Amino acid sequence: MASSSLVENDYYDIYLTDNQIWDFVNQIIPVADIKDEKSILYLFNAKKVEINSLPKSILYGDYTLRKSWIVRILKEAKLKENDDVIIGNPKLIIKFTIEEKIYEVLVYENGFKYNNKYYKKLNILKEIESMLSAG
């Protein structure tokens, strides 16, 4: 863990730390634009996010304000070598618009497909639905 030191002042305290904490923060919260379209983190660049739930269309429409939360959930998934996470039809289709181009994420119960790659995360569908339906 990063070391820190306290500098005292009459009005406030200042904590000084080394760069370890900022390196960690930059890993989980990217600051700069991600240029690699194949990376899930590239979706942080989206200017618009639309969602369609299938077959009921309970979640439908513009969810751009929830973009960061959606991408953070997606990035926690593990890349798979095969499509064993794909069972049946997708339950959600998430469309990220970046520079007039649409990038689709097909979400299933326990995984998703993005850029012709498969990712696994148990209960990802429920996690995304819960986050989107929360106030």
Side-chain angles (χ1 to χ4, degrees):
M1 192 68 192
S3 62
S4 63
S5 60
L6 174 64
V7 177
E8 294 184 352
N9 186 305
D10 290 337
Y11 304 104
Y12 52 85
D13 295 334
I14 300 172
Y15 288 89
L16 303 175
T17 184
D18 59 18
N19 284 338
Q20 278 185 328
I21 194 164
W22 297 116
D23 293 343
F24 176 73
V25 169
N26 282 331
Q27 285 177 356
I28 61 172
I29 306 171
V31 180
D33 287 342
I34 307 298
K35 302 294 183 199
D36 181 8
E37 290 183 21
K38 296 176 185 176
S39 169
I40 293 169
L41 297 178
Y42 183 71
L43 301 175
F44 275 118
N45 297 320
K47 300 297 181 210
K48 185 175 184 183
V49 178
E50 293 179 292
I51 296 181
N52 240 344
S53 65
L54 302 172
K56 300 177 185 176
S57 291
I58 296 168
L59 299 170
Y60 177 80
D62 189 338
Y63 286 85
T64 306
L65 294 177
R66 303 275 176 118
K67 170 186 69 177
S68 292
W69 290 5
I70 296 168
V71 177
R72 289 181 202 296
I73 290 170
L74 294 174
K75 78 177 192 70
E76 292 173 353
K78 303 292 183 210
L79 182 63
K80 298 292 289 180
E81 292 296 322
N82 53 43
D83 64 354
D84 66 347
V85 299
I86 307 305
I87 299 172
N89 294 320
K91 305 296 184 190
L92 285 179
I93 298 174
I94 307 174
K95 296 179 181 181
F96 295 82
T97 303
I98 304 169
E99 296 179 11
E100 308 302 319
K101 186 174 177 185
I102 295 175
Y103 297 83
E104 282 190 346
V105 175
L106 305 177
V107 181
Y108 299 82
E109 296 284 336
N110 294 307
F112 65 92
K113 181 180 177 183
Y114 169 65
N115 197 27
N116 291 318
K117 293 185 181 175
Y118 303 95
Y119 297 83
K120 183 173 185 173
K121 183 177 183 201
L122 293 178
N123 298 313
I124 191 169
L125 176 65
K126 287 181 184 177
E127 187 175 350
I128 291 173
E129 287 176 334
S130 294
M131 182 272 300
L132 294 174
S133 62

